[in-house]
Amino acid sequence: MSATAHAHVEDHAEGHHHHKETFITKYIFSQDHKMISKQYLITGLIMGTIGIAMSLMFRMQLAWPGESIPILETLLGKWAPGGVMDADMYLALVTIHGTIMVFFVLTAGLSGTFSNLLIPLQIGARDMASGFLNMISYWLFFLSSVIMVISLFVEAGPAAAGWTIYPPLSALPMAQAGSGMGMTLWLVSMAIFIASSLLGSLNYIVTVLNLRTKGMSMTRLPLTIWAFLVTAIIGVISFPVLLSAALLLLMDRSFGTSFFLSDIFIQGEVLHYQGGSPVLYEHLFWFLGHPEVYIVILPAMGIVSEVMAVNSRKPIFGYRAMIASIIAIAFLSTIVWGHHMFISGMNPFLGSVFTFTTLLIAIPSAVKAFNWITTLWKGNLQMNPGMLFSIAMVSTFITGGLTGIILGDSALDINVHDTYFVVAHFHLVMGISALYGLFAGVYHWFPKMFEGKMMNKNLGYVHFWITAVGSYGIFFPMHFIGMAGVPRRYYENTAFPMFDEMTNIQVLMTVFALITAGAQLVFAYNFISSIFFGKKGPKNPWKATTLEWTAEVKHIHGNWDGPIPEVHRWAYDYSKTDENGDYVIPGQDFVPQTVPLQEDEEELQH
């Protein structure tokens, strides 16, 4: 960034101090990245609450099929007459649960919150490249969330074709109850969501590339910023493909085209659709769908790398290898989508190609896992809630990832495709892992978001242990019923006598789910009460080296009261000693990025 551009930004920031902000410009239509990040987080957490509530409802149905559960009638009304869930509603709940958790919580809630909060603060920028686009991006996300929630109250019920909305169920409005208005609203909501995601991503990319402070080279960036940057790039490449799929699906539904439909019979009557292919839709969906799971997990990986280095009091191990693995994952994520389609009738040779590319992704993923473990090795571990969630994320990422090796192999996948084995795999590897990344980030950067207030540590421990044990309690037994052949998305399995003995396992998983959901109430209480009554911590509560802890504790427009700090070293100078074995700064085991290199001091970069 040139000196003139710097001067311009400085003036711009000075000019801002004098505007009188109204409630609306400060809290609602804010263009300040810190406020927008809080808006994303709170919206994401509300959507997460809805998503978890849905999963509890269909888990109860799976555990006690056909039994009257009064709370279901209270919550679902006509969809659970006498407390017994309607089969159409079961499919709708599974569909909207998946959609909300993947897109609205883990994509927008995670990237939206932490990209907005951390990119300007950690690279040393006054704000995002475009505050206006940033605001538009959040309000489009909010609008799409509202439309998705409204679709729950449509008379015929919400979309019910699974979160992947494969045609023909999604393409024929007359196919089932959930294929009508609810499905149309789903598609409209997703189209708006994609617009929001693209605007956000472009903003993040431009900000990281153009607005870094003096001295902040790309190899001095914290790994969080690398992860957010690459996530945004994957989003820009792959989300337009889902948009095209959604628009073509709307054409098929409402304008009589045949992109995804051919030779359809309903009650013996042949429909006029000719020449389309539902497999084309699968290709379009999964070309986004697989990069999407990396859009979900990469920000969590960046957060975990940062939180873990800070709380191990030592540099992240293999900084450059970590960057290389992020980039390798991003590239490979775009050439593996076919592994979702091994039983769609694809050419077996093509299946072996996709198997090969899928197994290649295990390499950069393993690099990250080993580097995290090595970072912890012999560290001076500070076991606060953020650190615990980071360590747990490595655990769930490894356990979830190992089953991916089975599912990524075309010959092995056929046996467990569309069973609970798949559900167990992706919930652990991207659902729970990304959620742990979100929690780690919230506990760690809460004081940055809420002007120095700290979350209650003991409640954080309660939240962590119940969540960690409970999550494995839900998803570990799921692998076994999957290997036994229990299919996913079935409303009940009473028609199959060979699955009768699995019911006890369903009950066990449901009990764990109810307990784990209860632990999230502890988090909610901790989060809300800490915003208002949290204890104030020091300016740099975790003794971290990165720039965000040099900014003002009180939120001001422009982040730094004086000039933007200059950067002289990389982001991970923890426990650094000189040749005599003394700390570089006496009595302090970390060196902030703003401290110039001393004479004879080498800059570490692995």
Side-chain angles (χ1 to χ4, degrees), residues 547-568:
L547 288 181
E548 75 270 32
W549 305 107
T550 65
E552 313 308 313
V553 175
K554 190 160 173 45
H555 286 179
I556 57 168
H557 222 78
N559 297 335
W560 285 271
D561 219 354
I564 299 178
E566 273 185 42
V567 170
H568 300 280

Side-chain angles (χ1 to χ4, degrees), residues 104-370:
F104 293 79
V105 181
L106 297 177
T107 302
L110 193 56
S111 287
T113 301
F114 292 105
S115 299
N116 270 311
L117 178 72
L118 295 177
I119 287 176
L121 283 168
Q122 288 193 333
I123 67 173
R126 293 283 180 204
D127 206 309
M128 282 289 175
S130 167
F132 181 71
L133 268 190
N134 211 10
M135 175 183 81
I136 298 290
S137 152
Y138 169 73
W139 283 104
L140 285 174
F141 165 56
F142 181 80
L143 178 64
S144 80
S145 303
V146 169
I147 293 173
M148 191 60 78
V149 172
I150 286 174
S151 80
L152 303 175
F153 300 98
V154 173
E155 190 178 356
W163 80 276
T164 54
I165 56 163
Y166 283 179
L169 276 184
S170 56
L172 294 169
M174 65 293 254
Q176 58 172 357
S179 298
M181 185 62 176
M183 187 73 239
T184 305
L185 287 173
W186 191 100
L187 288 163
V188 170
S189 168
M190 281 314 299
I192 296 170
F193 178 87
I194 291 164
S196 147
S197 177
L198 286 172
L199 291 179
S201 294
L202 290 170
N203 217 349
Y204 306 149
I205 293 168
V206 172
T207 306
V208 173
L209 294 182
N210 288 347
L211 297 185
R212 301 191 308 282
T213 184
K214 190 174 176 193
M216 179 64 86
S217 61
M218 292 298 277
T219 50
R220 283 176 174 171
L221 287 173
L223 287 170
T224 36
I225 305 299
W226 270 104
F228 300 145
L229 171 66
V230 173
T231 301
I233 292 168
I234 310 177
V236 169
I237 290 168
S238 57
F239 264 119
V241 181
L242 184 66
L243 182 62
S244 63
L247 293 177
L248 295 182
L249 201 46
L250 278 169
M251 307 280 263
D252 272 14
R253 290 170 56 77
S254 307
F255 303 107
T257 55
S258 306
F259 291 108
F260 306 133
L261 294 167
S262 187
D263 306 319
I264 302 273
F265 292 81
I266 288 192
Q267 292 164 342
E269 178 196 347
V270 63
L271 301 185
H272 67 273
Y273 299 105
Q274 273 298 307
S277 163
V279 177
L280 168 63
Y281 174 84
E282 289 189 34
H283 279 291
L284 291 175
F285 181 89
W286 287 116
F287 189 81
L288 157 95
H290 202 81
E292 164 64 24
V293 303
Y294 289 99
I295 290 171
V296 163
I297 200 69
L298 281 175
M301 290 173 157
I303 288 167
V304 163
S305 302
E306 177 68 24
V307 173
M308 205 174 262
V310 173
N311 289 305
S312 298
R313 311 311 299 162
K314 53 183 283 209
I316 188 82
F317 185 86
Y319 174 77
R320 288 182 183 232
M322 287 300 232
I323 297 172
S325 63
I326 289 172
I327 294 167
I329 284 173
F331 169 67
L332 289 169
S333 77
T334 58
I335 53 171
V336 295
W337 78 93
H339 65 215
H340 297 269
M341 302 169 57
F342 285 145
I343 61 166
S344 65
M346 67 158 55
N347 181 326
F349 174 72
L350 189 58
S352 64
V353 173
F354 278 122
T355 297
F356 176 64
T357 56
T358 302
L359 297 182
L360 280 182
I361 276 207
I363 298 169
S365 307
V367 167
K368 298 194 89 57
F370 287 126

Side-chain angles (χ1 to χ4, degrees), residues 305-571:
S305 302
E306 177 68 24
V307 173
M308 205 174 262
V310 173
N311 289 305
S312 298
R313 311 311 299 162
K314 53 183 283 209
I316 188 82
F317 185 86
Y319 174 77
R320 288 182 183 232
M322 287 300 232
I323 297 172
S325 63
I326 289 172
I327 294 167
I329 284 173
F331 169 67
L332 289 169
S333 77
T334 58
I335 53 171
V336 295
W337 78 93
H339 65 215
H340 297 269
M341 302 169 57
F342 285 145
I343 61 166
S344 65
M346 67 158 55
N347 181 326
F349 174 72
L350 189 58
S352 64
V353 173
F354 278 122
T355 297
F356 176 64
T357 56
T358 302
L359 297 182
L360 280 182
I361 276 207
I363 298 169
S365 307
V367 167
K368 298 194 89 57
F370 287 126
N371 282 358
W372 285 320
I373 292 168
T374 316
T375 302
L376 293 172
W377 180 249
K378 292 190 173 176
N380 173 16
L381 305 185
Q382 313 292 309
M383 289 297 188
N384 48 47
M387 179 65 153
L388 288 172
F389 274 111
S390 300
I391 296 170
M393 181 271 185
V394 180
S395 164
T396 53
F397 184 70
I398 293 171
T399 32
L402 287 173
T403 52
I405 295 172
I406 296 163
L407 292 168
D409 189 307
S410 50
L412 298 175
D413 173 68
I414 290 166
N415 305 293
V416 283
H417 191 96
D418 258 335
T419 68
Y420 271 97
F421 192 83
V422 179
V423 182
H425 157 72
F426 74 79
H427 276 82
L428 278 176
V429 82
M430 73 158 220
I432 301 294
S433 298
L435 212 51
Y436 285 176
L438 176 75
F439 285 140
V442 170
Y443 281 108
H444 189 78
W445 281 291
F446 190 88
K448 201 70 243 163
M449 275 189 191
F450 296 101
E451 307 201 330
K453 295 195 170 85
M454 308 283 284
M455 285 180 79
N456 182 310
K457 202 167 168 182
N458 291 336
L459 287 178
Y461 290 142
V462 172
H463 173 219
F464 170 76
W465 284 109
I466 302 177
T467 305
V469 174
S471 301
Y472 271 135
I474 302 164
F475 297 113
F476 207 74
M478 221 178 249
H479 294 88
F480 299 106
I481 62 170
M483 286 190 284
V486 179
R488 63 193 280 201
R489 292 184 178 161
Y490 276 35
Y491 158 75
E492 56 185 11
N493 290 302
T494 43
F496 308 106
M498 69 273 203
F499 296 146
D500 285 347
E501 68 235 37
M502 304 294 162
T503 316
N504 289 339
I505 301 182
Q506 295 279 20
V507 173
L508 176 77
M509 293 191 291
T510 300
V511 169
F512 269 119
L514 290 163
I515 293 169
T516 308
Q520 309 322 304
L521 297 175
V522 175
F523 170 75
Y525 169 77
N526 192 357
F527 183 79
I528 294 164
S529 67
S530 299
I531 291 175
F532 297 106
F533 312 114
K535 283 198 179 117
K536 281 260 175 142
K539 185 172 183 180
N540 183 356
W542 315 116
K543 299 188 167 52
T545 60
T546 41
L547 288 181
E548 75 270 32
W549 305 107
T550 65
E552 313 308 313
V553 175
K554 190 160 173 45
H555 286 179
I556 57 168
H557 222 78
N559 297 335
W560 285 271
D561 219 354
I564 299 178
E566 273 185 42
V567 170
H568 300 280
R569 55 180 70 237
W570 74 323

